[in-house]
Amino acid sequence: MGSNDDKKSYKSPVYVHNPHLDKLKDDVLYHFNLGTATHDLPAIFGNVKFVCVGGSPWRMKSFIEYIAAELGLEDPKSEYPNICAGTDRYAMYKVGPVLSVSHGMGIPSISIMLHELIKLLHHAHCTDVTIFRIGTSGGIGLEPGTVVVTKQSVDATFLPKFEQVILGQTVVRSTDLDQGLTEELLQCSKELNQFETVIANTMCTMDFYEGQARLDGAFCSYSEKDKQDYLAKAYEAGVRNIEMESSVFAAMCKLSGLQAAVVCVTLLDRLKGDQLISSHEVLRSYQQRPQILVGDFIKKQLSAAGRT
Amino acid sequence: MGSNDDKKSYKSPVYVHNPHLDKLKDDVLYHFNLGTATHDLPAIFGNVKFVCVGGSPWRMKSFIEYIAAELGLEDPKSEYPNICAGTDRYAMYKVGPVLSVSHGMGIPSISIMLHELIKLLHHAHCTDVTIFRIGTSGGIGLEPGTVVVTKQSVDATFLPKFEQVILGQTVVRSTDLDQGLTEELLQCSKELNQFETVIANTMCTMDFYEGQARLDGAFCSYSEKDKQDYLAKAYEAGVRNIEMESSVFAAMCKLSGLQAAVVCVTLLDRLKGDQLISSHEVLRSYQQRPQILVGDFIKKQLSAAGRT
């Protein structure tokens, strides 16, 4: 792998905003089972330029196999060890400049992972890192299988903000994403021409059932009409899909200087139902679409930088 | 396994509160990879009387092995298949009347699992079910390794409530737990006499770093004194440990008529530090304590009911 120093006059680091970190003798990244005293983080991770994160550990392993093949970086044994094998909290895989990490489901789970990932990239002196969340979602008024690249991540009242509680006080953080990156991904999808991709707002909720107006949870106190009215309001606010991690992902990546995008496929149209009743084969093929799009983007970027 | 019909005049079912469920032809429990059309839920789960849930899939597998040995119900091959093997979202194990399920980290992750677990127990016609969350936590002013049985689960402002967003509106739910069960667990621990157990309030946060006043996250905008002042206020409010799932667990179990307790070991004293620097062996032995306590309780209950 060459450096792309000559292509850019300025290298953008991964920022932490914590003066206390300098006072730590060692930093234990507990939920990764990694640490500065036990691992040579710059040697292992220093060349990372792209990070892909997603909920499911299986999907993140499948992504590293896919991107390795795409980039011609296959391991001759085709084995990609889980770098976090010492814990079952998250799974992590790496090939060349690409890191793939699982984050579980929901804002708190991805938030723990991102704190430790941002510290990892900082300790490893990584620069110019682009990060993608590749996930699944429920669509609103879209054909199932459509990929949504998030314009703005909005909350359950359709506002583009993430509320972080610090010492019992609520602090509001921006959920802005990189619009240039978003447009580049859309362009990439047009060139691929394999599936529909749109740029739209994504609603990020704290819950899969009541929080997303589903009628099929253990508890439901509203009617079908209430549900449809709520989803219609979301649609009017530009929301085309619903998931559970984008807001804190956008907020934390922005704070740390990571160029970030959210790329989620819609598994169903929530205007027509709540349950995932498509066959496993169909759902599996849908789930590959964000991988294919982001894989193609990474391949083009590395090719343009003369790095493959 | 005999029935305990003769011991009780009334059998308490597991409630769902959702009139729409009756209209569903089939119910797909998507994140378990189970469903009413594909699985005979009453046959598989109808005898469940105790459910243990915890964040880590590995720990929940270790619990089922432990409880099987305690109850003399070991599989001769000592193999406990993951009932949710078709998905990587959660892991589920069963032996006799005991079900063990992982829930990942944070409120949204456990909330998805509980919606589907409550529906599963309902579809299986289970009655008189007791549920435990066995977990890890940060302690406040306790010797590491102390087990806390939760009296009340409180939020980051020390109030005993859980805020559920429904159709964009916030609904406040009670986080009351079963005080009789809590006392019985304390009594059980006294008889065991293997480790310290206390009844105290548990603070449930949305985040492991800033939300718990840690100084070692990627971001930290407060001082060591701010942290200590916040933890001191928590201590004054009766809080002795901090974790990330108890509030929604308490709220949802209460709504569904499940007798519930939260039993978490403290891995460190947050007044003295933020990082988990104890050896893996020590941390592992601490993590077994909630299993030992709940295992002993279940054994005594089954013995008293003449069911072992």
Side-chain angles (χ1 to χ4, degrees):
Chain A
M1 299 295 307
S3 152
N4 61 349
D5 277 11
D6 46 349
K7 313 266 173 190
K8 292 181 79 167
S9 55
Y10 169 72
K11 289 175 113 180
S12 175
V14 178
Y15 295 103
V16 294
H17 297 278
N18 182 353
H20 306 286
L21 280 186
D22 292 337
K23 293 177 216 154
L24 279 180
K25 193 166 152 279
D26 307 321
D27 190 8
V28 178
L29 308 175
Y30 177 70
H31 300 85
F32 287 157
N33 198 37
L34 297 172
T36 54
T38 47
H39 297 78
D40 184 347
L41 300 179
I44 305 171
F45 299 103
N47 71 335
V48 169
K49 296 294 174 193
F50 300 97
V51 182
C52 279
V53 304
S56 147
W58 293 356
R59 201 182 335 120
M60 299 326 291
K61 177 156 198 196
S62 130
F63 177 74
I64 212 72
E65 289 164 354
Y66 175 77
I67 195 78
E70 281 292 295
L71 301 181
L73 294 172
E74 289 121 311
D75 183 314
K77 291 172 303 199
S78 278
E79 278 177 25
Y80 302 94
N82 177 4
I83 298 170
C84 300
T87 175
D88 61 351
R89 299 301 191 171
Y90 303 109
M92 183 187 288
Y93 304 93
K94 183 177 181 297
V95 62
V98 183
L99 193 66
S100 176
V101 195
S102 73
H103 57 58
M105 288 186 285
I107 287 173
S109 186
I110 193 174
S111 152
I112 298 174
M113 191 282 284
L114 287 174
H115 269 283
E116 299 185 13
L117 176 68
I118 290 164
K119 292 200 295 176
L120 182 155
L121 297 172
H122 170 77
H123 291 312
H125 313 303
C126 295
T127 56
D128 302 322
V129 176
T130 303
I131 184 166
F132 307 89
R133 163 163 150 67
I134 53 173
T136 57
S137 62
I140 307 181
L142 295 177
E143 197 64 33
T146 305
V147 171
V148 178
V149 183
T150 302
K151 186 177 176 185
Q152 279 195 309
S153 173
V154 302
D155 68 10
T157 63
F158 321 127
L159 296 174
K161 64 185 169 72
F162 172 66
E163 295 190 349
Q164 171 71 48
V165 176
I166 302 176
L167 309 178
Q169 306 287 315
T170 299
V171 174
V172 173
R173 287 180 174 162
S174 158
T175 58
D176 284 350
L177 289 157
D178 191 299
Q179 295 306 316
L181 180 58
T182 302
E183 293 290 345
E184 283 183 82
L185 285 162
L186 184 69
Q187 184 57 35
C188 219
S189 178
K190 282 180 184 159
E191 289 164 17
L192 265 175
N193 198 28
Q194 290 185 22
F195 43 80
E196 190 71 25
T197 299
V198 299
I199 294 178
N201 290 345
T202 297
M203 182 160 76
C204 182
T205 69
M206 294 298 298
D207 167 42
F208 186 78
Y209 288 98
E210 294 172 287
Q212 297 188 8
R214 271 189 164 78
L215 302 172
D216 64 337
F219 316 126
C220 182
S221 54
Y222 41 87
S223 67
E224 165 83 34
K225 183 178 179 304
D226 295 334
K227 166 197 157 175
Q228 293 292 345
D229 289 350
Y230 181 66
L231 294 183
K233 276 188 221 161
Y235 191 93
E236 280 167 35
V239 173
R240 293 295 178 275
N241 68 333
I242 313 175
E243 46 77 89
M244 299 178 63
E245 295 88 12
S246 60
S247 64
V248 73
F249 172 83
M252 291 181 70
C253 292
K254 187 179 163 77
L255 280 174
S256 62
L258 287 163
Q259 209 187 13
V262 178
V263 182
C264 291
V265 71
T266 60
L267 298 181
L268 79 170
D269 182 357
R270 290 293 318 289
L271 299 181
K272 295 180 182 164
D274 295 329
Q275 294 231 318
L276 286 159
I277 48 177
S278 297
S279 73
H280 274 267
E281 289 65 40
V282 168
L283 291 175
R284 197 176 307 123
S285 82
Y286 289 169
Q287 291 183 32
Q288 286 167 351
R289 294 180 174 181
Q291 301 191 21
I292 292 168
L293 176 52
V294 167
D296 191 62
F297 176 85
I298 291 174
K299 194 174 166 181
K300 282 180 176 150
Q301 289 286 306
L302 289 173
S303 173
R307 302 174 84 234
T308 51
Chain B
M1 298 296 304
S3 150
N4 62 350
D5 279 9
D6 48 349
K7 312 266 172 186
K8 293 181 78 167
S9 55
Y10 169 72
K11 288 175 116 179
S12 175
V14 179
Y15 295 102
V16 294
H17 296 278
N18 182 354
H20 306 285
L21 280 186
D22 292 336
K23 294 175 216 155
L24 279 180
K25 194 166 150 276
D26 308 322
D27 190 8
V28 177
L29 308 174
Y30 178 71
H31 300 86
F32 286 158
N33 199 36
L34 297 172
T36 54
T38 48
H39 298 79
D40 183 348
L41 300 179
I44 306 170
F45 299 104
N47 70 335
V48 169
K49 296 294 174 194
F50 299 97
V51 183
C52 279
V53 304
S56 147
W58 292 357
R59 200 183 335 120
M60 299 326 290
K61 178 158 197 192
S62 129
F63 177 75
I64 213 71
E65 290 163 355
Y66 175 79
I67 196 77
E70 280 293 294
L71 301 182
L73 294 172
E74 289 121 312
D75 183 316
K77 289 173 305 198
S78 279
E79 278 177 26
Y80 302 94
N82 177 4
I83 298 169
C84 300
T87 175
D88 61 351
R89 299 300 191 170
Y90 304 109
M92 183 187 287
Y93 304 94
K94 182 176 182 297
V95 63
V98 184
L99 193 65
S100 176
V101 195
S102 72
H103 57 57
M105 289 187 284
I107 287 172
S109 186
I110 193 175
S111 153
I112 297 173
M113 191 282 285
L114 287 173
H115 270 283
E116 298 186 13
L117 175 67
I118 290 164
K119 290 200 295 176
L120 183 155
L121 298 172
H122 170 77
H123 292 312
H125 312 303
C126 295
T127 57
D128 301 322
V129 176
T130 303
I131 184 166
F132 307 89
R133 164 164 147 68
I134 53 174
T136 57
S137 62
I140 306 182
L142 295 177
E143 197 63 35
T146 306
V147 171
V148 179
V149 183
T150 302
K151 186 177 177 186
Q152 278 194 310
S153 175
V154 301
D155 68 10
T157 62
F158 321 129
L159 297 174
K161 64 185 171 71
F162 172 66
E163 295 189 349
Q164 172 71 49
V165 176
I166 303 177
L167 309 179
Q169 306 286 314
T170 299
V171 174
V172 174
R173 288 180 174 163
S174 156
T175 58
D176 284 350
L177 289 157
D178 191 298
Q179 295 305 318
L181 180 59
T182 303
E183 293 290 344
E184 283 182 81
L185 285 162
L186 184 69
Q187 185 56 35
C188 219
S189 178
K190 282 181 184 158
E191 290 165 16
L192 264 175
N193 198 28
Q194 289 185 21
F195 43 80
E196 190 71 25
T197 300
V198 299
I199 293 177
N201 290 345
T202 296
M203 181 161 74
C204 181
T205 68
M206 293 298 299
D207 167 43
F208 187 78
Y209 287 97
E210 294 171 286
Q212 296 188 9
R214 274 190 161 79
L215 301 173
D216 64 339
F219 316 125
C220 182
S221 54
Y222 41 86
S223 68
E224 166 82 33
K225 182 176 182 305
D226 295 334
K227 167 197 158 173
Q228 293 293 344
D229 289 349
Y230 181 67
L231 294 182
K233 273 187 225 163
Y235 190 93
E236 280 166 37
V239 173
R240 293 296 178 273
N241 68 334
I242 314 175
E243 45 79 90
M244 299 178 62
E245 295 89 12
S246 59
S247 64
V248 74
F249 172 83
M252 290 180 71
C253 292
K254 187 179 163 78
L255 280 174
S256 61
L258 289 163
Q259 207 186 17
V262 178
V263 182
C264 291
V265 70
T266 60
L267 298 181
L268 78 170
D269 182 356
R270 290 292 318 289
L271 299 180
K272 295 180 181 163
D274 295 328
Q275 293 232 318
L276 286 160
I277 49 179
S278 296
S279 73
H280 274 267
E281 288 66 40
V282 168
L283 291 175
R284 198 175 306 123
S285 82
Y286 288 167
Q287 291 183 33
Q288 286 167 351
R289 293 179 175 183
Q291 300 191 22
I292 292 168
L293 176 51
V294 168
D296 191 62
F297 176 85
I298 291 174
K299 194 174 164 181
K300 282 180 176 150
Q301 289 287 306
L302 288 173
S303 172
R307 303 174 82 236
T308 52

